Amino acid sequence: MRLFLDTANVEEIRRACEWGVISGVTTNPSLMAREKADPDAALREITSLVKGPVSAEALSLDCEGMVEEARRLARVADNIVVKLPMGVEGLKAVGRLKREGIKTNVTLVFSANQGLLAAIAGATYVSPFVGRLDDISHDGMGVVRQLAAIFSRYEMDTQIIAASIRHPLHVVEAALAGSDIATVPFKVLEQMVRHPLTDIGIERFLADWKGLMAARSRGAGG
Ligand code: G3P
């Protein structure tokens, strides 16, 4: 199980990389828009900070346009993975890009059938959107679970990125469901670190240590 950071914010990526727990980054047009930066410049900076895969989304809606965009994105850095939307045009582009050695991440996957098609087409990664399914009262993690079982049973190489992760419990559930990766917003990563009992434990250890030192120095004085 690996963790990617789901953001286009360079500062968040820089901070998370220092923790040593992030092995890739996923971006999308909405995350890029939030940063208001030049997307190409942002991608160059992100790919230099992160050694692992960095997903960047192609915006064309037809296969030819997707392939051209993918080739341009792949030239930005060796670790670029091109995100393509699920659909007939996306599937066609996946196969062509695979033959060219360009890695793909099929995004906006909301069913096991969509993920299966992406894997058969040759996608490197598929991204089921867990939170957005939960939002409409569907079992988002169920899609991850089904894909993990299918890929394992048929020994398919495509890796699952559990995406649209909204809270720490989603990460635990994705790990238990057999997801290869969960891509998490920085806020969720911060929430994963914390536990009130850890804070109380540290406080108590420090207080006891201080008490011990004070007692010993009193002893030495007397
Ligand atoms: O990786 C996809 C993710 O960014 C979508 O998340 O929260 O917009 O559904 P969300």
Side-chain angles (χ1 to χ4, degrees):
M1 177 72 175
R2 284 172 289 146
L3 293 175
F4 288 1
L5 204 61
D6 195 26
T7 186
N9 183 296
V10 171
E11 205 37 53
E12 287 180 350
I13 294 167
R14 207 186 299 278
R15 284 174 63 192
C17 281
E18 284 174 1
W19 299 4
V21 293
I22 289 301
S23 47
V25 165
T26 51
T27 68
N28 64 35
S30 306
L31 293 170
M32 282 288 188
R34 204 178 288 171
E35 299 311 317
K36 298 184 178 68
D38 168 47
D40 280 356
L43 270 184
R44 274 192 296 275
E45 194 164 4
I46 294 168
T47 48
S48 72
L49 286 172
V50 182
K51 296 285 152 268
V54 174
S55 287
E57 195 145 341
L59 293 166
S60 301
L61 296 176
D62 63 298
C63 171
E64 212 53 52
M66 288 178 193
V67 169
E68 271 170 36
E69 260 191 87
R71 287 177 184 148
R72 191 186 63 76
L73 287 167
R75 278 197 293 274
V76 171
D78 289 344
N79 52 339
I80 285 280
V81 172
V82 180
K83 245 181 166 180
L84 297 169
M86 179 61 205
V88 170
E89 296 303 304
L91 290 175
K92 291 192 306 195
V94 163
R96 284 186 47 187
L97 293 169
K98 185 176 180 169
R99 287 190 286 281
E100 293 185 22
I102 295 176
K103 292 186 174 152
T104 53
N105 173 359
V106 174
T107 186
L108 293 166
V109 166
F110 292 97
S111 74
N113 271 333
Q114 289 183 322
L116 176 60
L117 286 169
I120 292 171
T124 319
Y125 303 96
V126 289
S127 292
F129 275 30
V130 174
R132 291 192 197 182
L133 276 168
D134 288 358
D135 287 344
I136 57 159
S137 303
H138 282 254
D139 178 13
M141 207 54 74
V143 176
V144 174
R145 207 171 295 115
Q146 288 175 331
L147 284 173
I150 294 166
F151 292 175
S152 152
R153 170 156 183 185
Y154 295 102
E155 297 180 356
M156 297 170 112
D157 292 335
T158 303
Q159 294 180 56
I160 303 165
I161 304 178
S164 186
I165 294 288
R166 301 282 172 73
H167 49 71
L169 199 50
H170 268 158
V171 183
V172 176
E173 288 169 348
L176 289 170
S179 197
D180 300 283
I181 298 143
T183 187
V184 300
F186 187 67
K187 178 175 162 261
V188 173
L189 191 68
E190 286 184 312
Q191 288 172 318
M192 288 168 67
V193 176
R194 289 196 218 110
H195 196 288
L197 289 179
T198 305
D199 298 338
I200 291 168
I202 289 173
E203 251 176 57
R204 198 172 294 163
F205 282 151
L206 288 178
D208 287 346
W209 189 257
K210 226 168 131 188
L212 170 66
M213 290 303 122
R216 283 180 58 80
S217 68
R218 272 197 307 274

